[in-house]
Amino acid sequence: MADIAGSTRLWNRYPERMAHALARHDAIAGAAVDGAGGTIVKHTGDGFIAVFVDVTSAVAAMTEYQRVLARPPFSDDVVLRSRVCIHRGAAQPRGSDWFGPAMNHLARLTDLVAPTHVVLSAAAAARLDTTTAVDHLGAFSVRDFPEPVALFALDLPDSVGPALSIIAGQGLPHYRAPFVGRSGDVAAVRALLDDHDLVTLVGFGGMGKTRLAVEVATHWADRDGARAYFVDLLSSDEPMVAVAEAVGLPAERMAPDTSPAESIGRHLGSGPVLIVVDNCEHVIDGAAALCDALTSCRPETRVLATSREALEVDGEAVYPLGPLDEATALELLRQRAAAVSAGPIDEHVAARLCNDVDCMPLGIELIVARLRHLDALDLADELDDSIDELRGRRRSDSDRHATMRSVIAWSYDVLPDDEQVLLVQLAQFPAPWPRAAVSAFAGNAGTRALDGLRAKSLVMTAGAGELRLLEVVRQFCAEVLAGDEPRAHTARDTLVTWARAFIPEHPDEGDPVFDPQAARALVEQLPNIRAAIAAAERNGRGADEAALVIALWPLVFDGRARGWLGPQLEATLSRTVDPHLRRILIRLAFQDTFEHHVDTEREGRLVAMLRDIDHHASATRYSGLNHAVRQVVADRVLGLDPTPTREGLEATAAASRGEGRRLDEGLAHLYIAFSHLLSGEHAACVDAAERAADLIRRVNFVSVVALADATTAQAQQGLGDLDAALRIAENAVLLGENARWETSVRAVYASGLARAGRSRDADAAVAPIVDLALTHKVPFMLFDALIAYAAVRAACGDRDTAAEALDLTGVGRTPITIAMTFDVAAQIGLELTLDRFVESFDADAVDRRAARALDYVGAVSPGSPSHGSTVR
């Protein structure tokens, strides 16, 4: 049997020229077969099958066939290379054709032959005369053959490279599932191979290094004259022998007077060759020497290695391979799940599953194996607690890719002791950490161990100057610590030591100055600092716990601290005895009592804690924010004279000024501005709010400046200066991002746009308020969203919708939106009862109103199917 190599590709590229070339080929084949007394019995696509009276005739014919085919083609015909196998056996005639096992075996053997070669089976070679030169290639397992088959190659002058293209199951592995994503990685690695003899794919186990290498090699081999081979070093202690076997060079044919690499180089002949050397970390030193030797002894050889660490060979190009991006991971999960009929997976659940395994290809494959037997949501819930659920189907525990745990354990067990110690300590960081943090764990020795962990792909780069662990690695190491309490105690102490060194000194109780850069650093490291707080509590380090919590004071007005800072402050207060630290903690805790509802019970507990420290201490200084807000709102709701409240706030401002507490002075003027806004005294409100903003700017509390500016903008709307209102409100939105009162600030901007007749822009400005409300589901945010929506609808003349929305609201997050509620109610003729303000002190009542508000806000969300009909 003869078969033209790559004929399909040639037809696609050169359809007209290929027709001429194939006609020439058929003439050459016919002449060679006829000249040896043979008969062509079948054309097989672009090849043929011929029969001869004996093996000697077949050899003569095919020698002549390959000789003439190797001569330069006529005119501009393409170059054809054919592979030939000669086999001897019994076959059954059927008309002019032949059938039977011998014909099937011939086809199987031909698949193994490399272009330009003629290979004989043992049955054929046994009938050769002794004058015919053949090379014994070895015995190989071949599909459909009951026993290994000995193969022999004719020694032809025009043959190029090894006689067999696929050796005993080696060659490039075949994957049934399609390759998903990573097109950028494929292109980048191919580009590296154009410029470097050795390219190493480096990544943690399960990242898909082998799959990517095979994909690159497949593209590489899809070129004229190019060949690719694959060798797995996992089960070999002799890398050079493994490569020799992969390229079809048995040990007995190694030249005794040359090195193994030189023998392999000679055997490969001419032409570009790519050798994929997989799992180099198994024998890292031997693999490095192997790859260096292979690329040195033959200029046209390229090596693509896979390893968990670089080989550190001169001229090596290292390509780090990380997890899939989320979109590719989701696509891989969907494709693989569909292939096993796992059914559709909710998009949110699919994202959880991918993130649970850090978007690692192996993790996704193991997820799919579990999805055959477990609902996706149930699996996601289980993976949040443990990686033990990830086990491949029909994998044994000895298979290092059988489970996610076995992948990690294999890497962990071979680490030096210092790297093991550092890795489990770093596992305490739930989020990326700064590289400098390592010195707090183990000094210079820790830096050296870190470099080792990074080289082995166990620690990964997360961004500029930051590092991280894969979540599955972190979870594994956390379990290692959980089983060794003395070691865990030491690790927790180390984490606390790092955090204490990282945070700034706690502020003076009198007049803290906000540092935006320090605040950003706190936010970036917040998950790690909170882990350190928990570690300090667990190890009984109360003073350190308090210092770490106090260091978070810049977040007291930050929306990202919503829901956890208040409980954390109280929990720390329950354990802290130092009076100075307790005073600061209590002051911070007072700022968090107006989030879900007006929590007077909690405020009472804080006052009691304060009186325990100092019986004569004034709680007003600590609870000023909450008290002032309640008082100015009560004045408006109950129709009280606001003068006493304002006089009290003026006195607070004067006292604060005398003590140099600019923040407290600025807040006092801000509450005065709130009082004027609620009373409809807009000019006075502007004066007070601008003064407040100026004072608060001096201590850099930009989120509070945003609140003051929004108050000014709302008052300017009342004065009719819409240009000034929009200019100030737009700036306030920028300053108020992530502030706890962001929804109130945005509501002012949306209302101003609507009043200015820019209804489309106003609707667009309401959208982020709705998004925030639906994301966090905090009652006051939901109410702010409805107040903003009602204000826009009322300004646009849609009084019925405005009334419908306003009827569902409770008290807004700030006096700004509370004042807006009164303004809109007056616009549309809606009477506001005292009940909605009183119920803001009752958690259950707030929850009931918030549930109704949540349903309505969801209905008016731009993403809701009913959005159009509800809004209009």
Side-chain angles (χ1 to χ4, degrees):
M1 175 179 280
D3 180 57
I4 296 175
S7 60
T8 300
R9 183 178 69 251
L10 294 172
W11 274 112
N12 290 334
R13 291 181 181 176
Y14 318 111
E16 294 183 2
R17 292 165 57 191
M18 187 61 177
H20 295 292
L22 191 59
R24 174 178 175 268
H25 165 270
D26 290 347
I28 293 171
V33 172
D34 289 345
T39 303
I40 294 179
V41 297
K42 178 188 290 186
H43 283 277
T44 56
D46 296 328
F48 61 87
I49 297 174
V51 296
F52 298 85
V53 296
D54 53 45
V55 173
T56 301
S57 300
V59 167
M62 293 302 98
T63 300
E64 177 66 7
Y65 166 70
Q66 291 286 40
R67 185 190 69 80
V68 178
L69 197 63
R71 300 286 76 82
F74 302 119
S75 65
D76 62 347
D77 282 354
V78 295
V79 176
L80 301 181
R81 291 183 173 86
S82 182
R83 51 189 180 179
V84 177
C85 183
I86 300 173
H87 181 48
R88 178 179 179 275
Q92 291 76 46
R94 185 182 300 168
S96 61
D97 205 349
W98 299 85
F99 293 88
M103 301 299 291
N104 296 333
H105 291 171
L106 176 62
R108 294 285 178 263
L109 293 174
T110 306
D111 288 340
L112 303 180
V113 182
T116 74
H117 286 274
V118 176
V119 170
L120 292 81
S121 69
R127 294 303 182 97
L128 279 176
D129 59 64
T130 57
T131 62
T132 303
V134 293
D135 292 329
H136 180 208
L137 303 177
F140 308 100
S141 298
V142 181
R143 187 158 62 97
D144 294 342
F145 280 78
E147 300 293 339
V149 180
L151 297 176
F152 301 81
L154 292 180
D155 187 7
L156 303 180
D158 296 306
S159 295
V160 177
L164 300 181
S165 60
I166 303 174
I167 306 299
Q170 300 296 322
L172 297 181
H174 173 68
Y175 296 93
R176 292 186 177 89
F179 185 75
V180 176
R182 295 242 195 246
S183 58
D185 293 319
V186 172
V189 175
R190 291 189 66 185
L192 286 175
L193 285 169
D194 288 339
D195 298 326
H196 298 83
D197 294 337
L198 170 61
V199 177
T200 305
L201 301 180
V202 173
F204 183 68
M207 287 298 180
K209 300 185 295 295
T210 303
R211 188 70 172 90
L212 175 62
V214 171
E215 187 69 13
V216 170
T218 301
H219 286 280
W220 169 277
D222 191 28
R223 302 185 300 175
D224 290 338
R227 290 164 285 150
Y229 301 92
F230 180 89
V231 56
D232 187 353
L233 299 186
L234 182 61
S235 58
S236 174
D237 294 326
E238 299 183 60
M240 195 64 76
V241 172
V243 173
E245 292 177 352
V247 300
L249 180 62
E252 61 268 21
R253 292 184 58 213
M254 290 276 197
D257 57 337
T258 62
S259 68
E262 288 175 327
S263 291
I264 291 172
R266 289 181 184 178
H267 174 72
L268 290 173
S270 61
V273 168
L274 175 64
I275 302 175
V276 176
V277 184
D278 198 30
N279 289 309
C280 290
E281 69 277 357
H282 176 65
V283 282
I284 190 71
D285 293 334
L290 164 75
C291 295
D292 189 30
L294 289 175
T295 55
S296 299
C297 71
R298 185 178 181 275
E300 293 180 288
T301 297
R302 296 286 189 272
V303 174
L304 178 57
T306 74
S307 178
R308 299 193 187 186
E309 57 184 306
L311 302 182
E312 298 185 359
V313 173
D314 287 344
E316 173 190 25
V318 176
Y319 188 82
L321 189 64
L324 299 169
D325 62 78
E326 186 169 334
T328 302
L330 288 170
E331 178 61 23
L332 179 63
L333 176 59
R334 281 192 289 266
Q335 285 196 16
R336 299 296 193 263
V340 299
S341 303
I345 305 174
D346 175 78
E347 186 173 348
H348 176 68
V349 174
R352 280 182 60 193
L353 288 170
C354 291
N355 288 326
D356 281 337
V357 295
D358 294 290
C359 295
M360 293 170 56
L362 173 63
I364 292 172
E365 298 290 355
L366 294 175
I367 282 172
V368 172
R370 294 290 291 131
L371 288 177
R372 294 186 178 97
H373 316 290
L374 190 65
D375 177 75
L377 181 57
D378 291 339
L379 179 58
D381 290 339
E382 292 182 6
L383 290 182
D384 286 342
D385 300 323
S386 174
I387 59 174
D388 285 340
E389 286 302 316
L390 290 185
R391 174 180 294 276
R393 186 174 178 228
R394 297 177 181 173
R395 291 181 184 264
S396 66
D397 288 335
S398 61
D399 182 349
R400 67 193 180 103
H401 283 174
T403 67
M404 287 302 298
R405 177 176 298 283
S406 62
V407 172
I408 302 163
W410 188 89
S411 295
Y412 177 81
D413 289 342
V414 299
L415 291 176
D417 290 345
D418 61 335
E419 293 180 13
Q420 282 191 357
V421 170
L422 181 59
L423 186 65
V424 295
Q425 288 180 329
L426 294 175
Q428 297 179 103
F429 286 119
W433 68 87
R435 181 188 171 92
V438 176
S439 61
F441 284 85
N444 292 333
T447 301
R448 289 192 297 272
L450 174 66
D451 290 341
L453 293 173
R454 293 188 68 184
K456 298 176 180 67
S457 305
L458 284 164
V459 172
M460 307 182 70
T461 300
E466 288 194 331
L467 304 170
R468 73 181 182 98
L469 297 184
L470 294 172
E471 179 58 26
V472 289
V473 175
R474 195 183 73 81
Q475 194 179 124
F476 173 86
C477 294
E479 292 174 7
V480 171
L481 280 180
D484 187 346
E485 179 51 31
R487 188 179 185 185
H489 191 281
T490 301
R492 289 194 295 268
D493 276 345
T494 307
L495 180 64
V496 174
T497 300
W498 163 77
R500 286 301 309 269
F502 178 80
I503 64 171
E505 286 296 318
H506 58 72
D508 178 76
E509 188 184 355
D511 194 35
V513 176
F514 185 83
D515 182 344
Q517 185 174 353
R520 281 194 296 272
L522 285 174
V523 170
E524 289 170 358
Q525 288 300 306
L526 186 56
N528 297 329
I529 295 172
R530 292 186 66 187
I533 291 170
E537 187 274 325
R538 180 85 181 269
N539 282 14
R541 296 175 58 168
D544 290 311
E545 178 189 354
L548 290 170
V549 173
I550 290 171
L552 301 179
W553 69 269
L555 304 183
V556 73
F557 299 139
D558 196 303
R560 287 165 290 194
R562 180 182 293 112
W564 62 264
L565 182 56
Q568 178 66 68
L569 286 162
E570 284 207 68
T572 304
L573 276 168
S574 70
R575 291 184 286 272
T576 303
V577 294
D578 181 272
H580 177 63
L581 295 180
R582 285 180 70 79
R583 282 181 182 275
I584 300 176
L585 288 167
I586 289 170
R587 186 175 188 190
L588 294 175
F590 269 117
Q591 314 310 317
D592 195 61
T593 57
F594 188 64
E595 189 58 46
H596 174 273
H597 67 290
V598 182
D599 196 344
T600 53
E601 181 181 347
R602 179 170 181 256
E603 187 170 298
R605 291 197 304 272
L606 294 173
V607 170
M609 290 180 185
L610 180 62
R611 294 284 164 76
D612 284 343
I613 300 173
D614 182 355
H615 183 70
H616 301 290
S618 171
T620 304
R621 177 177 172 185
Y622 292 81
S623 63
L625 173 63
N626 309 299
H627 178 76
V629 168
R630 286 200 301 273
Q631 192 60 53
V632 297
V633 172
D635 291 344
R636 174 65 179 84
V637 173
L638 299 175
L640 303 177
D641 180 4
T643 303
T645 299
R646 292 174 191 165
E647 289 175 347
L649 290 169
E650 290 283 5
T652 299
S656 299
R657 183 165 56 254
E659 297 175 9
R661 293 185 282 113
R662 288 167 295 182
L663 177 60
D664 288 347
E665 182 186 359
L667 289 173
H669 284 290
L670 179 58
Y671 306 144
I672 293 170
F674 288 155
S675 176
H676 286 303
L677 182 64
L678 284 160
S679 300
E681 300 164 353
H682 297 123
C685 174
V686 168
D687 290 341
E690 288 181 342
R691 187 172 183 183
D694 180 61
L695 287 164
I696 297 168
R697 273 193 193 92
R698 298 179 191 179
V699 289
N700 289 327
F701 274 87
V702 292
S703 64
V704 187
V705 172
L707 190 60
D709 283 351
T711 305
T712 299
Q714 184 68 10
Q716 292 286 14
Q717 289 185 35
L719 292 171
D721 190 348
L722 295 180
D723 289 340
L726 284 175
R727 184 181 69 254
I728 296 169
E730 188 170 17
N731 184 60
V733 167
L734 296 175
L735 296 178
E737 186 177 7
N738 291 321
R740 291 200 174 193
W741 38 73
E742 181 179 0
T743 50
S744 292
V745 174
R746 287 185 175 277
V748 173
Y749 182 53
S751 172
L753 289 169
R755 288 191 179 192
R758 295 167 57 181
S759 59
R760 186 180 296 276
D761 292 337
D763 280 340
V766 169
I769 308 175
V770 170
D771 288 342
L772 285 167
L774 292 177
T775 298
H776 297 286
K777 299 181 176 61
V778 174
F780 293 120
M781 295 179 75
L782 289 165
F783 300 151
D784 269 4
L786 281 180
I787 292 166
Y789 181 59
V792 169
R793 293 292 95 224
C796 293
D798 189 354
R799 300 167 64 91
D800 291 341
T801 302
E804 182 182 35
L806 203 61
D807 189 53
L808 291 169
T809 63
V811 174
R813 177 64 182 82
T814 65
I816 301 176
T817 45
I818 295 172
M820 194 180 295
T821 303
F822 283 107
D823 289 346
V824 175
Q827 255 185 288
I828 61 178
L830 179 69
E831 182 180 355
L832 298 177
T833 64
L834 187 62
D835 291 347
R836 76 170 63 204
F837 298 97
V838 173
E839 74 178 19
S840 64
F841 292 83
D842 183 337
D844 292 337
V846 170
D847 280 340
R848 288 192 294 271
R849 184 176 286 274
R852 296 193 297 272
L854 180 61
D855 290 341
Y856 191 86
V857 170
V860 302
S861 167
S864 169
S866 60
H867 172 65
S869 58
T870 304
V871 169
R872 300 305 170 202

